[in-house]
Amino acid sequence: MAALFPYLLIALLTLGPSHKSTPAPKPRACKTPATDKLTVPDPVAWQAALDRAGFSPGVIDGKLSKKTAIALENFQRFSGLAVTGRPDASTRAALGIDSVPSTTTYIITSADDDLVGPWPKTWFEKADAKFLGYTSLATLVAERGHCSLSLLERLNRKTNISRLKAGDLLVIPNCDAPDKLPRAAAIEIDFTDKVVYLLDKKQTVIGLFHCSIAKDKENRPAGACHVKVVKEMPQYVFDPAKWPEVKDVNRKLLIPPGPRCPVGLCWIGLSLEGYGIHGTPEPEMIGKTGSHGCFRLTNWDAQRLGKTVRVGTPVRFVEKSSLASR
């Protein structure tokens, strides 16, 4: 027995602190690959795929939020699928989630550096600027990935996004839209869900974007109008008469273009005087109320909408759209 003791000691040590043998692997239930992936769906993959398809989930934040559910419902209806607003295998296949990577890489360039500048605080300081650039390289990269700053940070845990520089490589959601976009025959804006619907000639929803609307109902337009102008990199005329909360400006000011211009990177002017659909310097505020009457989109959604409409495209406003029941 004494001769066997060293060998018994070695055997016990190899079993680890609990002295338990490794259990035999349990038989795995047979599932299809799609079912396995849907057990814990990757929200980034779903949101990026919806974004590419033109059914925007709003700012991609890695959450299956209400905005994402609205986008899913309308994509499912558009695709002739069961309308649930939830991820399923059929919708996954229709979106092509397994054929396109959910993320891609972005390398910061020196040209990106040139788009970042000091953020003027007062309206007079903004009017004196030549260009209203990004507040940081992080906000620039987040906009390239159509995502929130918090998601950008989660996708790049080993990178300090507050200290980015030219040459840095970051992971962002893959939101490359197709070169050829469908032409919208009409637009319907839903005040309840705060959604801009794109419609074809048969009044079928072919895409949607989430928007912000005026907090005061009296400032919201009614009825119908049409697109009057589409302008990339617009300037903005600040009229203090329309901004009662601003007390220190007594004349109109011309605000320069840029991603942090009050109307963002694209202005879609409507035939109703003073109303338009436009981008915003604060994409993470989309979906809330508080505008002075116009309809705010993320900069990327405003630019995409600008490419799908033309001068004369009809626009109508409804409290609650009936499109979902068709």
Side-chain angles (χ1 to χ4, degrees):
M1 181 66 181
L4 292 175
F5 181 77
Y7 300 102
L8 290 173
L9 180 61
I10 292 172
L12 288 171
L13 288 173
T14 58
L15 291 176
S18 63
H19 306 306
K20 294 181 180 178
S21 59
T22 304
K26 295 180 180 179
R28 188 181 177 200
C30 183
K31 297 179 180 179
T32 63
T35 304
D36 278 343
K37 292 173 182 175
L38 283 169
T39 303
V40 184
D42 175 10
V44 174
W46 284 85
Q47 289 182 311
L50 285 165
D51 187 291
R52 292 192 301 271
F55 290 78
S56 173
V59 177
I60 296 175
D61 56 7
K63 302 174 184 178
L64 295 177
S65 60
K66 180 181 177 181
K67 292 187 182 70
T68 304
I70 290 173
L72 267 173
E73 287 175 0
N74 282 275
F75 176 79
Q76 289 167 337
R77 187 174 294 107
F78 168 76
S79 303
L81 304 173
V83 179
T84 64
R86 297 188 299 273
D88 58 50
S90 298
T91 309
R92 186 183 190 97
L95 283 168
I97 289 179
D98 296 323
S99 61
V100 180
S102 61
T103 60
T104 185
T105 54
Y106 185 86
I107 300 176
I108 298 175
T109 67
S110 56
D112 291 333
D113 252 334
D114 295 337
L115 296 176
V116 177
W119 177 233
K121 294 183 179 180
T122 70
W123 285 105
F124 288 109
E125 289 173 344
K126 293 175 185 178
D128 289 338
K130 294 182 179 180
F131 181 80
L132 293 179
Y134 293 97
T135 55
S136 66
L137 282 170
T139 56
L140 179 150
V141 176
E143 193 152 299
R144 298 290 186 269
H146 303 182
C147 68
S148 65
L149 285 170
S150 60
L151 178 62
L152 181 68
E153 193 166 22
R154 294 208 308 271
L155 292 175
N156 300 275
R157 295 186 185 279
K158 295 182 179 180
T159 301
N160 186 342
I161 65 170
S162 65
R163 296 183 179 180
L164 298 177
K165 61 185 183 304
D168 285 348
L169 186 149
L170 293 103
V171 176
I172 61 174
N174 182 8
C175 296
D176 288 339
D179 293 331
K180 188 176 181 180
L181 299 174
R183 178 71 70 179
I187 293 174
E188 182 172 284
I189 300 180
D190 180 324
F191 291 151
T192 299
D193 287 335
K194 304 182 187 67
V195 169
V196 176
Y197 288 106
L198 305 185
L199 311 175
D200 63 11
K201 293 180 179 180
K202 297 180 179 179
Q203 300 298 290
T204 300
V205 176
I206 58 174
L208 67 84
F209 304 111
H210 293 275
C211 68
S212 292
I213 63 175
K215 183 176 182 179
D216 297 328
K217 290 187 177 181
E218 62 185 25
N219 290 332
R220 301 173 190 173
C225 61
H226 63 267
V227 173
K228 189 175 180 179
V229 64
V230 178
K231 177 70 174 176
E232 291 268 359
M233 294 296 288
Q235 293 176 306
Y236 175 69
V237 178
F238 174 79
D239 184 353
K242 297 179 180 179
W243 294 71
E245 68 271 26
V246 177
K247 307 298 183 183
D248 58 346
V249 180
N250 56 12
R251 60 184 173 87
K252 292 182 179 181
L253 299 172
L254 185 62
I255 309 301
R260 292 304 178 259
C261 174
V263 291
L265 295 176
C266 185
W267 165 260
I268 302 166
L270 304 179
S271 57
L272 293 174
E273 185 64 31
Y275 285 95
I277 306 170
H278 60 81
T280 178
E282 298 180 289
E284 296 192 39
M285 296 297 290
I286 292 301
K288 303 181 183 298
T289 57
S291 74
H292 291 80
C294 290
F295 303 93
R296 298 194 308 269
L297 307 177
T298 62
N299 276 335
W300 56 87
D301 283 345
Q303 288 177 307
R304 188 167 187 178
L305 178 61
K307 294 176 182 177
T308 66
V309 299
R310 64 188 184 281
V311 173
T313 299
V315 180
R316 62 177 181 258
F317 313 99
V318 297
E319 189 62 36
K320 176 63 177 177
S321 178
S322 62
L323 295 169
S325 62
R326 295 184 181 178

